[in-house]
Amino acid sequence: MGGDYGPQVVVPAALKVLSEMINVKLILIGDQDLLNNLVAAHRGELGTRLTIQHASQKVEMDETPSQALRAKKDSSMRIAINLVKSRKADACVSAGNTGALMAIARFVLKTLPGIDRPAIVSALPTIRGHCYMLDLGANVDSSAQNLYQFALMGSVLASAIDSIKEPSVGLLNIGSEIIKGNERIKQAGRMLSQSHLNYAGFIEGDDVYEGRVDVVVCDGFVGNVALKSSEGVARMVRHYLQESFQRNYLTRFAGFLVFPVLKAFRQRMDPRRYNGANLLGLNGVVIKSHGGADITAFAHAIHIAVIEARKDVPKHISAHLEPWLSEGQVV
Amino acid sequence: MGGDYGPQVVVPAALKVLSEMINVKLILIGDQDLLNNLVAAHRGELGTRLTIQHASQKVEMDETPSQALRAKKDSSMRIAINLVKSRKADACVSAGNTGALMAIARFVLKTLPGIDRPAIVSALPTIRGHCYMLDLGANVDSSAQNLYQFALMGSVLASAIDSIKEPSVGLLNIGSEIIKGNERIKQAGRMLSQSHLNYAGFIEGDDVYEGRVDVVVCDGFVGNVALKSSEGVARMVRHYLQESFQRNYLTRFAGFLVFPVLKAFRQRMDPRRYNGANLLGLNGVVIKSHGGADITAFAHAIHIAVIEARKDVPKHISAHLEPWLSEGQVV
């Protein structure tokens, strides 16, 4: 029920995924009258692959996490996470309030043993392919121990999803400037260089998009600002490019001539292809879609949830965590 | 003598500026034999507008600030800053080691009264024009008081350079995520909302390039990562665009047809147009060029130095600082 568009986007996206992926069942949670109306035309062809579960409440986008946790026990978000907890669902996807989603997921599902704080992780495009970056906003002022745990989780994720044997892990730092990072970063660097992870050392902001490493580790404040700045730059570039081709009749005609090339370029740069961030470190798969996601973007987030549930990412993290964490605690 | 290319870039850039700007005199500082050779052909036409001052040392790019400060007292960098101190030069421009430049400038020139730490500030392109962002890497773990001082300095800079009466100031924060910022950010926000500045509240990473504010204030770690991530994204986009037009003969021909449009686009996105960061808060104008700057980019950094020296930015900051700072200390 959340996000900027609610069921208007979520329902068509769910129908799209069901038509694309066989062996996937979806449960829509929210106002059952509304949802029933929206799926009515497709009822017959889908059979039991699409079910609807009623929720009498919804978490508002501006609600605080604690409010949502206390007062919204019959919200679509809470019920979705409860279903993951009771193993009636293998994953949950939401475009709703990030803070509330994290708080409820943490309360209901709990973090994996050895993980102090879950992190938000997403795939980002690079010149060579993609990388995973975490944390993207769940934790501010992360300690060295937190950063170390992010590195472990990110490495397991890249390994499970992309079948990379030893994903390279970089610690985001400021490079050639005056004070090369702070004590927390330096200590996390020492911990990582003594670990079994394939630690590639410090990297800088521009290295992220060069694809120098498979996993980029940073504090949530830094990661959130870096991600949103990047989105802002990409939007500005698209704006400038569009403007360049719309300056006059001649440039418009030129744009018409190269339309297929520009279209291919836009598709490659399409941020919807990267929609769907993982709340990593929980006892279950929870995927956060951009609030402003459209049908294509939200369908992509569902795809990610399916992949992560099939790969059982939380189990992989648990399995890999024990020995590595005890390493970390020695440092 | 510093930067990736040394005098090979600095000398032609200086000659370019002298041919473009009348009433500007430049002093080249470094190995005098080398410099004399490079300018020999232009000696006659330039007269006293270009002088050379010998320096027997140079600061290496990998030297620590304290090493450079102690052992490089006859370096080109140190002499250039000494000339600003003794008012024999109105500004200093360097493509050298940022940390050393900041340390030497701070030691020789001192910070302005009321400023605890200088900040690195640069203009960034936005959809609407440009904005100023600080700090870009001089200070990590900035306190609320530091952020407040950055806001004051940035506001005075935008006002002096762009003749904006009341520049709007935004505090870079993470928005809709779980924990909205940390205590430092919140306190700085409270201080700014009680000040005489035109404070626009918290902004997020993507707002920077939307041009929502004239001045963006953040901690140096965050600013440096955001800036370098942005550069990385812009480079990736150029790479993708180039690739789209080089896929086959047809797309190459298409690229040939729209060459003027793409060229105009590239010029608008050209990062060289934004080369030249200000070390703000010092008793003097010190401009830091990108180490990898080419002739066009370094010439731009000199242009900025000329403008800031003409506007006497440090004096403006001093004049505006006293009342505002006492305000800040009340909070």
Side-chain angles (χ1 to χ4, degrees):
Chain A
M1 297 298 287
D4 300 348
Y5 310 109
Q8 302 300 334
V9 156
V10 172
V11 173
L15 295 171
K16 185 172 185 287
V17 170
L18 288 172
S19 73
E20 286 163 358
M21 300 183 101
I22 310 175
N23 297 327
V24 169
K25 289 181 182 177
L26 295 178
I27 309 164
L28 295 172
I29 301 152
D31 183 290
Q32 64 186 4
D33 294 340
L34 182 63
L35 296 176
N36 268 321
N37 269 341
L38 286 167
V39 300
H42 307 269
R43 262 273 159 259
E45 70 210 65
L46 293 167
T48 59
R49 292 183 63 210
L50 185 73
T51 50
I52 287 170
Q53 183 146 348
H54 183 63
S56 66
Q57 295 179 306
K58 62 173 279 197
V59 174
E60 302 298 333
M61 293 304 269
D62 55 358
E63 221 161 340
T64 67
S66 55
Q67 273 176 339
L69 198 53
R70 258 198 330 269
K72 296 294 175 74
K73 289 185 183 156
D74 200 44
S75 62
S76 49
M77 192 184 273
R78 179 66 174 262
I79 294 174
I81 293 172
N82 285 344
L83 289 180
V84 173
K85 168 77 178 173
S86 61
R87 305 292 170 207
K88 282 174 192 143
D90 295 307
C92 150
V93 185
S94 170
N97 182 323
T98 312
L101 185 68
M102 179 60 101
I104 295 173
R106 211 175 150 174
F107 177 78
V108 173
L109 299 175
K110 311 287 184 245
T111 52
L112 292 167
I115 295 297
D116 296 324
R117 299 150 131 199
I120 299 177
V121 57
S122 179
L124 297 185
T126 72
I127 286 180
R128 297 183 201 173
H130 66 262
C131 69
Y132 295 93
M133 185 157 163
L134 72 168
D135 173 37
L136 295 176
N139 309 282
V140 296
D141 296 329
S142 306
S143 67
Q145 183 72 26
N146 293 141
L147 295 171
Y148 183 77
Q149 292 174 10
F150 298 164
L152 289 172
M153 294 195 291
S155 177
V156 174
L157 181 74
S159 172
I161 300 292
D162 299 330
S163 310
I164 306 170
K165 216 176 155 214
E166 294 186 325
S168 57
V169 178
L171 201 48
L172 196 58
N173 199 350
I174 61 176
S176 56
E177 313 306 316
I178 290 137
I179 309 147
K180 297 190 180 180
N182 51 30
E183 264 317 306
R184 298 190 295 279
I185 294 277
K186 287 175 195 159
Q187 200 197 330
R190 287 191 295 270
M191 288 167 76
L192 286 168
S193 46
Q194 288 168 42
S195 75
H196 285 136
L197 293 179
N198 179 10
Y199 177 54
F202 294 136
I203 63 163
E204 293 191 61
D206 45 347
D207 297 324
V208 175
Y209 299 95
E210 291 286 336
R212 273 199 47 211
V213 293
D214 301 310
V215 179
V216 177
V217 172
C218 59
D219 169 60
F221 193 104
V222 174
N224 189 280
V225 168
L227 180 70
K228 288 192 175 156
S229 303
S230 302
E231 287 171 359
V233 171
R235 208 175 302 137
M236 181 176 70
V237 172
R238 283 197 297 272
H239 173 87
Y240 280 166
L241 190 63
Q242 203 168 9
E243 236 182 38
S244 304
F245 277 106
Q246 287 185 342
R247 210 169 330 134
N248 55 42
Y249 286 109
L250 263 173
T251 58
R252 267 183 223 176
F253 183 64
F256 172 74
L257 288 177
V258 295
F259 181 74
V261 183
L262 291 179
K263 196 181 157 195
F265 166 72
R266 270 194 218 104
Q267 277 172 348
R268 190 149 177 205
M269 290 298 301
D270 191 348
R272 298 179 300 181
R273 292 177 56 208
Y274 290 90
N275 184 46
N278 197 326
L279 272 50
L280 205 61
L282 295 165
N283 255 315
V285 176
V286 180
I287 303 296
K288 169 68 177 73
S289 158
H290 231 288
D294 67 3
I295 296 167
T296 307
F298 196 86
H300 190 265
I302 304 176
H303 273 270
I304 290 183
V306 171
I307 294 167
E308 299 212 358
R310 284 195 174 140
K311 299 268 188 183
D312 201 349
V313 170
K315 200 186 76 186
H316 277 279
I317 294 180
S318 278
H320 286 75
L321 220 55
E322 273 309 316
W324 285 354
L325 276 174
S326 48
E327 260 177 45
Q329 273 139 11
V330 177
V331 180
Chain B
M1 299 299 287
D4 300 351
Y5 310 109
Q8 301 300 333
V9 156
V10 172
V11 173
L15 296 170
K16 185 171 185 290
V17 170
L18 288 172
S19 73
E20 286 164 358
M21 300 182 102
I22 310 175
N23 299 327
V24 169
K25 290 182 182 179
L26 296 177
I27 310 163
L28 295 171
I29 301 152
D31 183 290
Q32 62 185 5
D33 293 342
L34 182 62
L35 295 175
N36 269 320
N37 269 340
L38 286 168
V39 299
H42 307 270
R43 262 275 159 257
E45 69 208 68
L46 293 168
T48 59
R49 294 184 62 212
L50 185 73
T51 49
I52 288 170
Q53 182 146 349
H54 184 62
S56 65
Q57 295 179 307
K58 62 174 278 197
V59 174
E60 302 297 333
M61 292 303 269
D62 55 358
E63 221 160 339
T64 67
S66 56
Q67 274 176 341
L69 197 54
R70 259 198 330 270
K72 295 294 175 72
K73 289 185 182 156
D74 200 44
S75 62
S76 48
M77 191 183 274
R78 179 66 173 262
I79 293 173
I81 292 172
N82 286 344
L83 290 180
V84 174
K85 168 79 179 171
S86 62
R87 308 290 170 206
K88 280 174 193 143
D90 296 306
C92 148
V93 185
S94 169
N97 182 324
T98 312
L101 185 68
M102 180 59 101
I104 294 172
R106 211 175 150 173
F107 177 77
V108 173
L109 299 174
K110 310 290 183 243
T111 52
L112 292 167
I115 295 296
D116 297 323
R117 298 150 134 200
I120 299 177
V121 57
S122 178
L124 297 184
T126 71
I127 285 180
R128 297 183 201 173
H130 66 262
C131 68
Y132 296 92
M133 185 159 162
L134 73 168
D135 174 36
L136 295 175
N139 309 281
V140 296
D141 296 329
S142 306
S143 68
Q145 184 71 27
N146 293 141
L147 294 172
Y148 182 76
Q149 292 175 9
F150 299 163
L152 288 171
M153 294 195 290
S155 178
V156 174
L157 181 75
S159 173
I161 299 292
D162 298 331
S163 309
I164 306 171
K165 215 176 157 217
E166 294 186 326
S168 57
V169 178
L171 201 49
L172 196 57
N173 199 350
I174 61 176
S176 56
E177 312 306 315
I178 290 137
I179 310 148
K180 296 189 181 178
N182 51 31
E183 264 318 305
R184 296 190 296 278
I185 295 276
K186 287 175 196 161
Q187 202 197 329
R190 285 191 295 269
M191 289 167 75
L192 285 168
S193 46
Q194 288 167 42
S195 75
H196 286 137
L197 294 178
N198 179 9
Y199 176 55
F202 294 137
I203 61 163
E204 293 191 60
D206 44 349
D207 297 323
V208 175
Y209 298 96
E210 291 285 337
R212 273 198 47 209
V213 293
D214 300 310
V215 179
V216 177
V217 172
C218 58
D219 168 61
F221 193 104
V222 173
N224 187 279
V225 167
L227 180 71
K228 288 191 175 156
S229 302
S230 302
E231 288 171 358
V233 170
R235 208 176 301 137
M236 180 176 71
V237 171
R238 283 197 297 273
H239 172 88
Y240 280 166
L241 191 62
Q242 203 168 9
E243 235 181 38
S244 304
F245 278 105
Q246 288 186 341
R247 211 171 328 137
N248 55 44
Y249 285 110
L250 264 174
T251 59
R252 267 184 223 175
F253 182 63
F256 171 74
L257 288 178
V258 295
F259 181 75
V261 184
L262 291 179
K263 197 180 157 195
F265 166 71
R266 268 193 221 104
Q267 277 171 348
R268 189 145 179 209
M269 290 298 302
D270 190 347
R272 297 179 301 182
R273 291 177 55 207
Y274 290 90
N275 185 45
N278 197 326
L279 272 49
L280 205 61
L282 296 165
N283 254 315
V285 177
V286 180
I287 303 294
K288 169 68 177 74
S289 158
H290 230 287
D294 66 4
I295 295 167
T296 307
F298 196 85
H300 190 267
I302 303 176
H303 273 269
I304 289 184
V306 171
I307 293 168
E308 300 213 357
R310 285 195 174 141
K311 301 269 187 184
D312 202 348
V313 170
K315 200 186 73 185
H316 278 279
I317 294 180
S318 279
H320 286 73
L321 221 55
E322 274 309 317
W324 287 354
L325 276 174
S326 48
E327 258 178 46
Q329 270 138 13
V330 175
V331 180

